[in-house]
Amino acid sequence: MVRIGIIGAGRIGKVHITSISTRIKDAVIKTVADPFMNEETELWAKSMGVVHTTKDYKEIIDDPEIDAVLICSSTDTHSPISLEAIRAGKHVFCEKPIDHDVEKIKKVVAALEGTGLKYQVGFNRRFDHNFEAMQQAVAAGKIGKPQVIKITSRDPEPPGIDYVKVSGGMFLDMTIHDFDMACFLTGCDATEVYVQAANLVDPAIGEAGDVDTAVITLQMENGAIAVIDNCRKAVYGYDQRAEVFGSEGMISISNDSQSQAVLSNSEGVTAEKPLYFFLERYMEAYGKEIAAFVDAIENKKETPLNVMDGLRPVLMGLAAKKSYEEHRPVKISEIN
């Protein structure tokens, strides 16, 4: 039984508490820590089987009975808490990104060397049944050599401006998942990024120094070209689609919906909208990624994503920001 401490009881923390409590039979949550812990959250956590709650995350770091730490707190705390947990000899699952600062991520890489500790980054889309099936087909050579990858990722509504101001920008808080997916589907890194972006959804996002709409082109190491299109607002719901075109065929995935029912009558042909938000689309994937993390700990296996998988999309995100700001293609090596 893997004993877990969860740092951060906000939206994503609650997702993981729910997943572990209802889906992961080989793990137990001993402690949940959050500086804003209140009675309502405490009672809910206890109802999910959490043994102890606190406002001080150091109780988790200092507890010798806790084997692994899930870092679900604000982004600026990810790398510092990672270092504390590693020094305490604990396995770490860290929500993306590890940090916006490459040098701080490299400190986490260095701290892990020779420890034998497991470190997994929370790119949950790799565990989605659609993307998983797609990657397996590409890796098995069923579409030949990948040539063009298209990834569409659009949120149903933009985030609040307070979030935009601290998120690191769209490329590091939203597109980062798509950068990871481009690497996952092609089985290699990107070498160059080029961005065209604009502020078309909410003027306040532009005033905060960010963009909300973008098309990103990636040159991949294996020669394939990837195209990502992002928007902070799709009025019809959470739009998550992808396609890989290769020398011997093509594979594509569409959105999940409540049903596959299609109504055809004199007024037209109507299907259901996509599931509205990421919590609906990816709840199963969240459970699977934690199951994989626990399995790696119990069976002394490699995690499906490691610290380097956390560094790679951040390099791509920083290159995308530089490309947008300087109106030119940017090589990943310029950032690394």
Side-chain angles (χ1 to χ4, degrees):
M1 184 67 68
V2 176
R3 293 158 298 186
I4 291 174
I6 296 181
I7 300 174
R11 182 169 63 184
I12 197 64
K14 286 184 170 69
V15 166
H16 288 309
I17 291 168
T18 302
S19 290
I20 294 168
S21 300
T22 60
R23 299 166 183 256
I24 314 299
K25 62 181 176 60
D26 296 328
V28 62
I29 305 170
K30 182 178 180 186
T31 303
V32 172
D34 193 295
F36 305 104
M37 182 67 67
N38 55 35
E39 186 178 356
E40 180 183 0
T41 302
E42 184 176 359
L43 289 172
W44 176 82
K46 294 289 179 65
S47 75
M48 299 300 291
V50 174
V51 178
H52 176 60
T53 60
T54 178
K55 291 185 177 181
D56 185 3
Y57 77 89
K58 290 186 183 293
E59 288 188 33
I60 290 174
I61 301 297
D62 296 336
D63 188 343
E65 292 187 352
I66 289 178
D67 305 303
V69 175
L70 267 64
I71 303 174
C72 307
S73 46
S74 59
T75 297
D76 61 315
T77 69
H78 289 185
S79 65
I81 294 177
S82 291
L83 291 173
E84 289 184 60
I86 292 165
R87 291 185 193 117
K90 301 188 188 304
H91 306 289
V92 177
F93 179 98
C94 182
E95 275 300 330
K96 62 82 191 168
I98 301 171
D99 206 288
H100 295 147
D101 186 324
V102 172
E103 293 307 313
K104 290 181 179 179
I105 299 175
K106 288 181 177 179
K107 288 181 180 179
V108 177
V109 174
L112 283 165
E113 289 180 2
T115 64
L117 294 171
K118 308 302 179 186
Y119 192 99
Q120 186 171 325
V121 184
F123 286 113
N124 62 294
R125 287 183 196 173
R126 290 195 184 202
F127 299 87
D128 171 69
H129 61 110
N130 292 313
F131 287 110
E132 199 172 46
M134 187 180 217
Q135 186 272 337
Q136 290 170 358
V138 174
K142 293 185 177 180
I143 56 101
K145 181 181 178 181
Q147 296 171 336
V148 178
I149 298 91
K150 295 181 180 179
I151 299 171
T152 294
S153 181
R154 303 166 185 159
D155 284 350
E157 57 186 23
I161 297 305
D162 288 343
Y163 174 79
V164 171
K165 290 176 180 178
V166 299
S167 73
M170 188 174 79
F171 303 125
L172 287 171
D173 79 67
M174 179 180 175
T175 322
I176 192 169
H177 280 289
D178 307 309
F179 290 142
D180 176 68
M181 190 50 55
C183 296
F184 181 56
L185 293 176
T186 58
C188 67
D189 292 351
T191 59
E192 188 175 85
V193 180
Y194 180 61
V195 173
Q196 290 278 11
N199 175 219
L200 303 175
V201 173
D202 184 352
I205 292 176
E207 291 166 10
D210 199 11
V211 296
D212 52 38
T213 306
V215 174
I216 301 119
T217 305
L218 304 170
Q219 182 68 58
M220 307 304 293
E221 278 183 342
N222 65 357
I225 299 169
V227 180
I228 299 167
D229 82 81
N230 287 148
C231 191
R232 290 286 201 184
K233 183 178 181 179
V235 296
Y236 49 85
Y238 195 43
D239 194 357
Q240 300 278 293
R241 291 170 285 134
E243 171 188 300
V244 181
F245 171 79
S247 59
E248 303 296 330
M250 182 192 79
I251 185 167
S252 62
I253 60 169
S254 191
N255 291 307
D256 279 349
S257 57
Q258 290 292 345
S259 78
Q260 296 298 308
V262 177
L263 172 65
S264 301
N265 58 22
S266 60
E267 296 178 359
V269 179
T270 307
E272 294 202 40
K273 293 179 182 179
L275 296 175
Y276 188 71
F277 205 33
F278 75 95
L279 293 178
E280 300 170 76
R281 170 72 184 264
Y282 292 122
M283 196 63 204
E284 181 182 352
Y286 282 115
K288 287 170 67 177
E289 70 177 351
I290 299 300
F293 176 60
V294 170
D295 180 53
I297 294 170
E298 287 194 311
N299 296 299
K300 297 179 171 56
K301 297 161 54 176
E302 291 298 316
T303 55
L305 293 97
N306 58 35
V307 68
M308 297 308 295
D309 294 307
L311 173 60
R312 194 173 295 116
V314 173
L315 294 172
M316 296 164 74
L318 292 171
K321 289 180 73 172
K322 190 175 183 69
S323 175
Y324 170 67
E325 291 165 356
E326 299 183 6
H327 308 286
R328 66 176 180 90
V330 173
K331 293 190 179 300
I332 303 299
S333 58
E334 294 181 47
I335 308 298
N336 195 11

